[in-house]
């Protein structure tokens, strides 16, 4: 039954993804307007994150940024349905520019393993497809609470051009770390979303936009123990061509401090790098995610989203 429902979801997503790009973007704009009108979860969380990360914004500026974030988030959601259900070789034509890709080629050629840290900026699913077209790739992911959702996710991320031997999806659970160490030890490539809040005990607090955020230590541990190269990568929206979105793909070297033996130093460097990317265009960062839920012990701070 789980697989049947996942196939049904895929069919619905594929039907929606066949709509012309202008229609999808208009639907996204309508969805963003509905979020604002209903003050939906996405709207509330984005507003709270702006208050925390950009306290100096004037009320009018914050409202403008809030609208831009919701518009981009909604468009990205529908955009991703199309990317998931259309041939990957067609999707990759949306990448109009590529910057720093020689860094990835050199890191792979070194044979020391590569950690691709992909923040929630732009469209990370298009980045996954580009990486899979370039090299075998293991992706660490947090499974959805729904078994149907996970079956759907496994299906769309392996469909249409990225065969099973090119993309390995690893659940972010106990055995995952061993699998990642093994993969990197063999000179492989792994992709990690570095700005997801880890479980208690799996991270350290470090500033993110001036606010302490509980941050994963996994990237630093992997880099420090394996000697793998850490690169940041993202697909950033740059324009619209003939009614379709266009993207610039970026690859940048991570700061050396990410592999520091002191986990507090490593996570501080990680957050600083992610913040640098997110500040390029704040509307393209995933501000609808509750990044600051956990608070430092003894700080007296409460969950800032509790009222939301």
């Amino acid at each position: 039954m789980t697989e049947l429902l996942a196939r049904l979801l895929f069919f619905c997503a594929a039907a929606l993804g066949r709509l012309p790009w202008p229609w999808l973007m208009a639907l996204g704009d309508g969805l963003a307007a509905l979020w604002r009108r209903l003050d939906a979860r996405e709207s509330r969380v984005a507003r709270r994150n702006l208050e925390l990360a950009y306290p100096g914004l004037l009320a009018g500026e914050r409202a403008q940024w809030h609208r831009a974030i919701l518009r981009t988030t909604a468009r990205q959601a529908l955009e991703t349905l199309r990317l998931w259900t259309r041939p990957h070789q067609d999707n990759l034509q949306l990448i109009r520019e590529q910057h720093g890709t020689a860094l990835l080629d050199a890191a792979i050629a070194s044979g020391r393993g590569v950690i691709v840290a992909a923040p929630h900026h732009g469209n990370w699913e298009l980045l996954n497809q580009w990486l899979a077209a370039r090299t075998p790739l293991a992706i660490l992911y947090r499974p959805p609470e729904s078994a149907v959702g996970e079956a759907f996710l496994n299906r769309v991320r392996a469909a249409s051009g990225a065969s099973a031997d090119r993309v390995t999806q690893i659940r972010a659970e106990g055995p995952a770390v061993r699998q990642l160490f093994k993969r990197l030890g063999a000179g492989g490539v792994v992709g990690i979303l570095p700005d997801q809040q880890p479980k208690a005990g799996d991270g350290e607090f470090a500033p993110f936009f001036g606010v302490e955020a509980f941050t994963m230590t996994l990237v630093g541990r992997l880099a420090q123990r394996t000697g793998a190269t850490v690169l940041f990568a993202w697909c950033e929206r740059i324009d619209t061509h003939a009614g379709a979105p266009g993207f610039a793909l970026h690859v940048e070297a991570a700061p050396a401090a990410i592999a520091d033996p002191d986990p507090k130093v490593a996570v501080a460097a990680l957050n600083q790098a992610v913040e640098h990317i997110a500040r390029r265009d704040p509307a393209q960062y995933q501000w609808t995610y509750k990044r600051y839920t956990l608070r430092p012990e003894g700080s007296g701070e409460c969950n800032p989203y509790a009222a939301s």
Side-chain angles (χ1 to χ4, degrees):
M1 180 62 71
T2 296
E3 287 299 325
L4 178 62
L5 291 174
R7 289 182 184 180
L8 180 61
L9 279 178
F10 182 85
F11 174 80
C12 294
L16 188 61
R18 287 185 176 276
L19 294 175
W21 276 115
W23 292 23
L24 278 179
M25 290 187 284
L27 281 174
D29 294 347
L31 178 59
L34 183 63
W35 284 343
R36 293 197 307 274
R37 180 181 294 274
L38 299 178
D39 199 24
R41 175 196 176 280
E42 291 80 5
S43 178
R44 298 193 305 271
V45 173
R47 185 185 304 110
R48 185 65 178 123
N49 277 331
L50 284 176
E51 292 169 353
L52 294 166
Y54 292 93
L57 286 178
L58 298 176
E61 291 176 314
R62 184 174 291 119
Q64 183 177 0
W65 283 33
H66 180 255
R67 287 193 297 271
I69 288 168
L70 293 183
R71 180 171 178 265
T72 302
T73 300
R75 283 189 172 194
Q76 193 255 0
L78 296 176
E79 175 184 281
T80 297
L81 290 179
R82 183 183 178 105
L83 295 175
W84 272 343
T85 57
R86 302 293 292 168
H88 291 187
Q89 61 267 27
D90 293 347
N91 296 338
L92 295 179
Q93 299 305 309
L94 298 173
I95 299 177
R96 317 292 183 184
E97 301 175 8
Q98 297 186 25
H99 306 276
T101 57
L103 292 172
L104 177 64
D105 295 337
I108 294 172
S110 74
R112 295 189 294 116
V114 186
I115 302 168
V116 178
H120 289 85
H121 183 81
N123 195 301
W124 49 95
E125 295 295 342
L126 183 58
L127 172 65
N128 286 342
Q129 293 182 9
W130 179 84
L131 288 168
R134 206 170 187 93
T135 179
L137 172 71
I139 300 173
L140 183 70
Y141 75 103
R142 181 176 297 171
E145 295 181 2
S146 163
V148 174
E150 182 173 13
F152 172 76
L153 191 63
N154 288 332
R155 181 182 180 89
V156 296
R157 282 184 171 164
S160 223
S163 60
D165 61 342
R166 298 285 289 182
V167 177
T168 302
Q169 299 192 73
I170 300 176
R171 293 168 59 101
E173 296 175 343
V177 175
R178 292 195 297 273
Q179 294 182 59
L180 295 177
F181 273 115
K182 183 177 179 180
R183 188 96 178 191
L184 292 170
V189 180
V190 303
I192 298 176
L193 296 166
D195 47 353
Q196 285 186 325
Q197 183 173 254
K199 295 179 181 178
D202 291 336
E204 294 280 354
F205 280 95
F208 184 61
F209 283 85
V211 181
E212 292 293 313
F214 197 58
T215 306
M216 67 169 62
T217 55
L218 177 61
V219 174
R221 284 190 288 131
L222 290 173
Q224 198 258 328
R225 297 181 188 178
T226 66
T229 301
V230 184
L231 300 173
F232 279 89
W234 67 95
C235 272
E236 188 173 75
R237 295 175 191 83
I238 53 173
D239 58 12
T240 300
H241 281 268
F247 294 85
L249 184 139
H250 295 266
V251 179
E252 288 186 357
I258 277 183
D260 195 280
D262 184 340
K264 290 186 178 294
V265 173
V267 297
L270 179 66
N271 277 357
Q272 187 176 18
V274 174
E275 181 177 332
H276 170 74
I277 294 168
R279 285 187 182 277
R280 293 172 58 91
D281 183 354
Q284 294 199 43
Y285 189 68
Q286 192 187 32
W287 288 114
T288 55
Y289 177 65
K290 295 181 179 181
R291 184 67 179 86
Y292 303 109
T293 302
L294 297 177
R295 309 312 308 141
E297 186 176 354
S299 68
E301 299 177 19
C302 299
N303 177 356
Y305 308 104
S308 300

